[in-house]
Amino acid sequence: MRRVPVTALVPGMRIAREVVGGHGEVYLQTGVILTQGYIRKLGELGFASVYVHDALLGDLHVPEAEDIIHDKTRHEAVSRVKTLLQEAAQSQAKAIDPPKELAQTVSDMVNQILNNPSQTLDMYDIRAQNEYLYHHSVNVCALALVIGAQIGLSRRELYELGVGALMHDVGKIKVPAEILDKPGKLSAVEFELVKKHTLYAEELLKNNATAAAIAGMHHERLNGEGYPRGLKEGEIPPLAQIVGIADIFDSLTADRCYRKAYRPDEALEMLLAAGGFWFNFDLVRAFVVNVAAYPVGTMVELNSGEIGVVVSTPKGFPTQPVVRVFVAVDGGWLGDAYDVSTLEKCLFITRVLDEEEISFIKKKILGSRQSTV
Ligand SMILES: [Fe+2]
């Protein structure tokens, strides 16, 4: 399966991962064949991309990527965060205390990550634009826990990190939605208002010192470029830095109202460039080694000239996947695809193919198959 922008969907494609709303309501089940009507509806609901089975990839038996967090737990978490934040906004709450059920969800996420130490993070959530904050909170929580587990935090510390990560953006309930969802560039005044979400969160989370510190400092950067206080190295606790790293990665890899999602390899490159300046480099590395730069299903070209699809990524080598090659160096279709470990063969990926190139290759391959029948 692979993630395809809604604008590139065509009738006949099959949904590979169910499309759900903020309360776990299923809009499209796995296996549903897309029609023009469904594609239009996805756009109206604010989805920018979905996971589909590709006829071409289906023939190559590309394995399904597995989420590090179970679907049920993820849906539960999104739904509970949504309820909590909507109720707090409506009642103009002075304090937010995560309820027992949410604490249980964080414990479940900690357990699932600790039980799966060998899994590379290889699945990126999709979400409707108007549900962004809730999905973002849950993703940042999962990503932060992966870093926390990698650096050996205790179960208790992971739990506290998880709660803080889940609550890191609660201050946004006090920032006008039209600013948060503004499609264009923010004015200086608007940006000042957005920056305040950190201070609002500190206030709202006053009953939980760790969560308040994480939420208040997740936009601070080691070189003093962050906000709200421009703190420097030594003043920003590791847990807040971890959430800052997770926050940047999830924001970059999400489709936003003002830009398309960056690919994971692009987001990882940006994070690596920020390592040492914005964040402790060891924390950035702890994250990067756990994330597949080229998720399963990504079509890539190797420096050998071969073209194929990523089928897995070994733990610890995020940019060195195993690629199922189906276009030879001379551009010819290989009837029998073969797997190449870029790590073992000392090869590297030169580029990721875009939708236009993929559809061009598909036509070529289908043509060559028909001519051999
Ligand atoms: Fe934030």
Side-chain angles (χ1 to χ4, degrees), residues 91-171:
S91 65
Q92 299 189 342
K94 297 269 181 290
I96 294 182
D97 297 301
K100 257 206 289 302
E101 306 81 59
L102 203 59
Q104 183 56 50
T105 306
V106 174
S107 296
D108 291 346
M109 289 170 79
V110 169
N111 287 337
Q112 287 165 25
I113 283 166
L114 287 177
N115 288 342
N116 234 331
S118 61
Q119 196 175 331
T120 305
L121 204 63
D122 200 338
M123 169 67 72
Y124 306 98
D125 198 29
I126 49 165
R127 60 207 101 179
Q129 297 289 349
N130 58 353
E131 308 275 0
Y132 176 79
L133 178 58
Y134 319 120
H135 288 265
H136 174 64
S137 303
V138 174
N139 276 349
V140 169
C141 179
L143 298 172
L145 290 176
V146 166
I147 305 175
Q150 174 73 27
I151 63 168
L153 294 185
S154 67
R155 192 175 284 270
R156 180 77 220 165
E157 289 166 323
L158 284 174
Y159 172 77
E160 291 192 353
L161 169 66
V163 172
L166 208 49
M167 299 286 108
H168 79 284
D169 263 348
V170 292

Side-chain angles (χ1 to χ4, degrees), residues 60-367:
L60 293 166
H61 304 295
V62 176
E64 302 286 299
E66 252 182 68
D67 195 345
I68 203 156
I69 303 292
H70 304 164
D71 277 353
K72 181 173 169 285
T73 310
R74 189 181 274 283
H75 296 165
E76 245 171 41
V78 171
S79 171
R80 284 172 179 165
V81 169
K82 182 175 177 179
T83 305
L84 181 71
L85 297 193
Q86 283 185 335
E87 284 177 6
Q90 257 157 26
S91 65
Q92 299 189 342
K94 297 269 181 290
I96 294 182
D97 297 301
K100 257 206 289 302
E101 306 81 59
L102 203 59
Q104 183 56 50
T105 306
V106 174
S107 296
D108 291 346
M109 289 170 79
V110 169
N111 287 337
Q112 287 165 25
I113 283 166
L114 287 177
N115 288 342
N116 234 331
S118 61
Q119 196 175 331
T120 305
L121 204 63
D122 200 338
M123 169 67 72
Y124 306 98
D125 198 29
I126 49 165
R127 60 207 101 179
Q129 297 289 349
N130 58 353
E131 308 275 0
Y132 176 79
L133 178 58
Y134 319 120
H135 288 265
H136 174 64
S137 303
V138 174
N139 276 349
V140 169
C141 179
L143 298 172
L145 290 176
V146 166
I147 305 175
Q150 174 73 27
I151 63 168
L153 294 185
S154 67
R155 192 175 284 270
R156 180 77 220 165
E157 289 166 323
L158 284 174
Y159 172 77
E160 291 192 353
L161 169 66
V163 172
L166 208 49
M167 299 286 108
H168 79 284
D169 263 348
V170 292
K172 286 196 173 159
I173 64 170
K174 292 188 164 228
V175 179
E178 55 274 22
I179 296 182
L180 293 177
D181 301 332
K182 186 176 168 180
K185 197 173 182 308
L186 296 179
S187 70
V189 175
E190 288 167 337
F191 189 43
E192 285 310 311
L193 276 173
V194 170
K195 284 179 178 177
K196 283 196 175 159
H197 79 278
T198 49
L199 298 170
Y200 294 142
E202 271 178 3
E203 177 59 22
L204 287 165
L205 297 167
K206 57 192 168 208
N207 298 331
N208 181 331
T210 308
I214 288 173
M217 290 187 258
H218 74 278
H219 286 288
E220 298 286 3
R221 305 291 180 246
L222 294 192
N223 63 357
E225 278 181 6
Y227 64 84
R229 300 186 176 91
L231 300 179
K232 289 222 167 103
E233 194 161 3
E235 298 174 308
I236 312 162
L239 295 193
Q241 289 187 54
I242 290 174
V243 172
I245 294 167
D247 179 30
I248 288 188
F249 183 80
D250 186 64
S251 307
L252 289 173
T253 52
D255 297 296
R256 302 305 309 274
C257 45
Y258 46 87
R259 59 148 174 79
K260 261 180 46 190
Y262 286 96
R263 297 191 315 258
D265 61 305
E266 296 170 323
L268 288 174
E269 211 163 296
M270 290 184 221
L271 264 182
L272 280 169
F277 297 100
W278 282 5
F279 307 106
N280 175 300
F281 197 78
D282 291 337
L283 293 178
V284 174
R285 197 164 34 214
F287 179 64
V288 169
V289 296
N290 277 290
V291 180
Y294 306 100
V296 168
T298 307
M299 298 256 206
V300 294
E301 184 180 72
L302 304 179
N303 60 324
S304 56
E306 294 155 303
I307 290 175
V309 57
V310 172
V311 288
S312 64
T313 300
K315 175 94 171 173
F317 298 93
T319 59
Q320 301 271 253
V322 175
V323 176
R324 195 153 294 169
V325 170
F326 57 84
V327 176
V329 180
D330 62 3
W333 160 256
L334 295 164
D336 288 320
Y338 55 85
D339 286 0
V340 170
S341 160
T342 58
L343 185 62
E344 285 165 22
K345 298 279 179 201
C346 293
L347 292 170
F348 59 88
I349 286 169
T350 47
R351 65 194 184 91
V352 173
L353 274 58
D354 63 26
E355 284 303 320
E356 222 172 291
E357 292 172 294
I358 294 170
S359 82
F360 176 76
I361 290 175
K362 264 170 31 182
K363 277 186 203 138
K364 234 172 114 177
I365 289 172
L366 286 173

